[in-house]
């Protein structure tokens, strides 16, 4: 079945560092891929998405490219800020319309 | 504004008591979901509903119950059978195949 694997956290970086959070998936067909962000004590918010191979989703300086050949959707940001500290979830549509398959989440800590 | 609303934000339950968490959406979404999140953990699916008057168990449905009498509403009851209910509960909704919208969550604590 469909599944998502994220790199384990926490990931700790200094402000202005380059960020990569790895996400790989297994899926049949061509599912849409998502990155969500969760700030402390809040619900999840969509950060970006991609619906087909080679699509690049981007938002708030974050980017992720749908790589069919490597089954990956890694999240990147060129220069992180303290305010980017949060938990990031990778997700994809499952085989059935109702399904959303979630990664385990990666906690990001940015130090000033 | 369209959105999804959970209430209350904080809820305290005594041992042996049933409590109900509210989730309302005005996005006209067919599918609604309840997730449980434990500290430092990911999301675990409790129940989901694709259509009014129908719902399905997720991965950890034991000790929980839901109803879907209206499209807009998907309340979750945490029953006394749930032995470890302290957690953060998240409700979500979506159209078929599209992104999910989440509520702000309810933090349930057993006292």
């Amino acid at each position: 079945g469909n599944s998502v694997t994220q790199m384990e956290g926490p990931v700790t970086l200094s402000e202005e560092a380059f960020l990569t959070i790895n996400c790989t998936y297994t899926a049949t067909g061509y599912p849409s891929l998502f990155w969500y962000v969760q700030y402390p004590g809040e619900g999840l918010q969509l950060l970006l998405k991609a619906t087909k191979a080679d699509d690049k989703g981007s938002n708030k300086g974050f980017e992720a490219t749908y790589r069919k050949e490597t089954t990956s959707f890694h999240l990147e940001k060129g220069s992180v800020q303290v305010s980017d500290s949060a938990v990031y979830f990778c997700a994809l549509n499952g085989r059935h319309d109702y399904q959303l398959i979630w990664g385990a989440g990666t906690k990001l800590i940015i130090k000033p | 504004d369209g959105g999804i609303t959970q209430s209350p934000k904080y809820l305290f339950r005594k041992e042996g008591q049933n409590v109900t968490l509210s989730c309302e959406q005005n996005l006209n979404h067919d599918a609604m979901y309840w997730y449980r999140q434990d500290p430092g953990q990911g999301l675990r699916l409790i129940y989901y509903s694709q259509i009014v008057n129908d719902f399905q168990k997720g991965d950890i449905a034991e000790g929980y119950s839901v109803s879907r009498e209206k499209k807009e509403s998907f309340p979750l009851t945490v029953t006394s059978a749930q032995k470890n209910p302290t957690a953060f509960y998240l409700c979500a909704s979506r159209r078929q195949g599209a992104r999910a919208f989440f509520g702000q969550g309810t933090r349930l604590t057993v006292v």
Side-chain angles (χ1 to χ4, degrees):
Chain A
N2 293 5
S3 66
V4 176
T5 303
Q6 280 183 244
M7 64 188 293
E8 287 192 26
V11 173
T12 303
L13 296 171
S14 297
E15 205 165 20
E16 299 184 2
F18 184 87
L19 167 71
T20 300
I21 299 178
N22 289 341
C23 172
T24 58
Y25 67 90
T26 58
T28 54
Y30 298 89
S32 294
L33 303 175
F34 308 90
W35 275 102
Y36 286 81
V37 58
Q38 184 182 31
Y39 298 103
E42 297 185 7
L44 278 69
Q45 305 171 29
L46 180 70
L47 181 59
L48 53 84
K49 68 177 183 180
T51 58
K52 60 184 187 296
D54 300 324
D55 264 4
K56 178 185 283 188
S58 61
N59 186 25
K60 299 181 181 180
F62 291 90
E63 293 183 341
T65 301
Y66 190 157
R67 303 280 188 202
K68 185 71 175 174
E69 64 278 11
T70 55
T71 62
S72 65
F73 193 53
H74 304 322
L75 183 68
E76 296 181 335
K77 186 174 184 181
S79 177
V80 292
Q81 306 300 313
V82 172
S83 58
D84 293 327
S85 298
V87 180
Y88 293 82
F89 290 91
C90 184
L92 59 78
N93 283 333
R95 292 183 62 190
H96 303 288
D97 290 337
Y98 72 84
Q99 282 185 323
L100 260 179
I101 310 299
W102 294 93
T106 302
K107 184 173 184 177
L108 176 63
I109 300 169
I110 307 300
K111 296 187 174 181
Chain B
D1 287 343
I4 179 165
T5 302
Q6 289 186 241
S7 63
K9 189 170 177 65
Y10 300 96
L11 186 58
F12 298 90
R13 192 194 94 167
K14 295 180 179 179
E15 294 281 352
Q17 194 178 45
N18 292 356
V19 291
T20 297
L21 285 59
S22 170
C23 180
E24 303 277 333
Q25 53 98 0
N26 60 4
L27 299 165
N28 200 33
H29 288 169
D30 287 315
M32 297 187 74
Y33 308 79
W34 274 106
Y35 292 95
R36 172 179 170 141
Q37 188 177 31
D38 292 287
Q41 302 298 312
L43 304 178
R44 292 190 288 170
L45 183 64
I46 304 172
Y47 269 97
Y48 64 94
S49 168
Q50 293 180 263
I51 196 170
V52 174
N53 293 323
D54 186 53
F55 48 83
Q56 304 296 328
K57 292 182 179 180
D59 301 319
I60 56 164
E62 186 175 351
Y64 300 97
S65 66
V66 293
S67 62
R68 187 87 186 276
E69 297 177 1
K70 299 186 300 181
K71 189 175 188 177
E72 301 79 16
S73 180
F74 191 42
L76 173 74
T77 297
V78 184
T79 75
S80 57
Q82 172 50 241
K83 298 306 179 188
N84 185 24
T86 295
F88 191 52
Y89 291 87
L90 287 163
C91 181
S93 71
R94 67 195 290 238
R95 284 197 307 273
Q96 179 178 319
R99 57 162 290 191
F101 288 77
F102 280 81
Q104 289 300 297
T106 294
R107 186 166 301 280
L108 174 63
T109 305
V110 174
V111 296

